[in-house]
Amino acid sequence: MTLELNNWAAALVAGAGALLAIFLIPAIFNEYEVLQMMIYVILAILALSLAFIWGIGGILSFGHAVFFGLGAYSYAIAAINFGETTSAFLVAIIVPSLFAAVLGYFMFYGRISDVYLGAITLTVSLVFFKVANSTSGPSYRIGKAPLGGFNGIPSVPRLTVPGFPEWELGTIELFSLSVVLLALTYVGLRFLISSDFGRIVLSVKENERRSELLGYDVRRYKLLTFIIGAAIAGIAGCLYANWGNYTDPSVFALSQSVQVIIWVVVGGVGTLIGPIVGCFLLQWLTTWLTTIDTINKDVILGGILTIVVLLLPQGLVPTIRNLAWTVANRATRHEEKAV
């Protein structure tokens, strides 16, 4: 009962935060600044997808960007060919999910160990990056959509209101949609984790052999976890293609996968709010560092990751939470002694 109440409380807080962001940010900042903030929200959804796969399911994917990229490319190609974006949005979720189902089936039912699983996902991401870069020229197209090679796919149609194909979402509307999807993803994952399915996934992460002895098909639960994470990453990829009206092979890049891992580690593996906080903080820092030519942002990010792993192995959010609990308990004991 307490867990359910906590979930509903988190849902109320997330909903209130989303409403504040939707109404206050466009009122305070201009459209260009809102557009820059939108990418933080989109990438936070991507961070949540890996937080669920890795932090909850115990599956570390070194090539998680492949699902992000598939979502972006699938949406762009479908939107250009279909002439409407509602179906394209669904395609951006379905294609990464199907690919995750096929890839995950061979990895999990093939009893691939964690080390080789990480190597396979990394390799798959690099393959997609190379293939996407090799599709320049007029002959490389899917229907009406030219793939563009390293130049990417320009002029990607923005999402429209379902049933009203002429009503294209503007920057403020797209920002609002991104915030709502981030809040829904966070709340949805919290309820999923506290469900019977989520508890089994956690038990598989903690002790796979014991879960098998209890009669659970750990391969199936791992596969479903992998698919759910890929679907969420596909949503983030779709929004990313909308954000810039453009997508290119960099969405498959190794650096993108590494960034997501850093967000989750810094924020706190095993939490949902931690990766969101880590994404916001590190994306802000990365944006700021790009304005300073004398400092290499990759060196700074690598240093932050090293410091966090060595000094704050649980991540920022769990460390701050534990510190707050310690201070509160000490204050309570002090009051009891005074009485």
Side-chain angles (χ1 to χ4, degrees):
M1 182 61 70
T2 303
L3 184 58
E4 185 176 351
L5 289 175
N6 288 338
N7 286 339
W8 283 111
L12 289 174
V13 172
L19 287 175
L20 284 174
I22 289 171
F23 287 107
L24 288 183
I25 289 180
I28 298 173
F29 301 96
N30 60 43
E31 187 171 333
Y32 174 77
E33 291 170 329
V34 172
L35 187 67
Q36 299 310 305
M37 293 180 190
M38 191 193 309
I39 191 61
Y40 290 40
V41 179
I42 294 170
L43 293 178
I45 298 175
L46 177 61
L48 275 179
S49 67
L50 184 63
F52 180 68
I53 288 179
W54 181 21
I56 307 303
I59 306 167
L60 176 54
S61 171
F62 284 106
H64 196 62
V66 69
F67 306 118
F68 180 66
L70 281 174
Y73 266 83
S74 298
Y75 172 80
I77 294 169
I80 292 173
N81 280 287
F82 294 168
E84 58 91 20
T85 59
T86 302
S87 299
F89 179 80
L90 297 176
V91 169
I93 301 173
I94 293 171
V95 170
S97 301
L98 289 177
F99 182 74
V102 174
L103 179 63
Y105 177 83
F106 286 105
M107 291 193 302
F108 302 127
Y109 281 84
R111 299 289 186 177
I112 301 296
S113 66
D114 292 341
V115 174
Y116 289 108
L117 188 147
I120 290 172
T121 53
L122 173 63
T123 303
V124 169
S125 181
L126 293 175
V127 168
F128 270 91
F129 178 71
K130 291 294 184 182
V131 170
N133 271 295
S134 304
T135 56
S136 58
S139 59
Y140 291 98
R141 60 174 55 241
I142 298 177
K144 301 176 184 176
L147 298 180
F150 56 84
N151 291 317
I153 303 176
S155 304
V156 176
R158 270 197 176 178
L159 284 166
T160 58
V161 177
F164 300 91
E166 297 83 14
W167 188 351
E168 185 179 89
L169 299 185
T171 298
I172 304 301
E173 294 166 321
L174 191 60
F175 170 78
S176 301
L177 175 63
S178 301
V179 170
V180 169
L181 288 175
L182 174 60
L184 288 175
T185 301
Y186 170 73
V187 173
L189 287 178
R190 279 191 66 108
F191 277 98
L192 181 62
I193 293 167
S194 62
S195 67
D196 291 340
F197 172 82
R199 284 190 281 268
I200 294 171
V201 169
L202 285 170
S203 72
V204 171
K205 173 194 172 185
E206 295 299 326
N207 195 318
E208 188 172 323
R209 180 59 59 86
R210 182 179 61 192
S211 299
E212 280 186 323
L213 293 175
L214 289 172
Y216 297 113
D217 186 350
V218 298
R219 299 169 299 178
R220 181 164 65 91
Y221 283 97
K222 280 188 171 184
L223 179 59
L224 290 173
T225 302
F226 198 58
I227 293 172
I228 292 171
I232 297 171
I235 294 174
C238 170
L239 293 174
Y240 180 80
N242 277 268
W243 172 73
N245 297 112
Y246 167 82
T247 188
D248 66 359
S250 65
V251 292
F252 295 109
L254 175 60
S255 58
Q256 185 65 65
S257 293
V258 172
Q259 270 192 321
V260 186
I261 293 174
I262 293 175
W263 298 336
V264 176
V265 171
V266 170
V269 180
T271 69
L272 292 179
I273 193 65
I276 297 176
V277 173
C279 175
F280 284 174
L281 287 177
L282 293 180
Q283 276 301 112
W284 173 82
L285 180 62
T286 301
T287 303
W288 178 70
L289 288 174
T290 54
T291 63
I292 305 176
D293 296 333
T294 56
I295 302 177
N296 188 299
K297 64 180 181 63
D298 294 327
V299 173
I300 298 297
L301 291 176
I304 292 174
L305 176 63
T306 303
I307 292 171
V308 169
V309 170
L310 293 177
L311 302 181
L312 305 172
Q314 291 182 313
L316 287 177
V317 170
T319 300
I320 294 172
R321 184 173 56 199
N322 293 339
L323 182 62
W325 274 108
T326 302
V327 172
N329 289 334
R330 286 180 178 176
T332 301
R333 287 196 294 268
H334 181 72
E335 291 177 359
E336 290 175 350
K337 288 179 180 179
V339 173

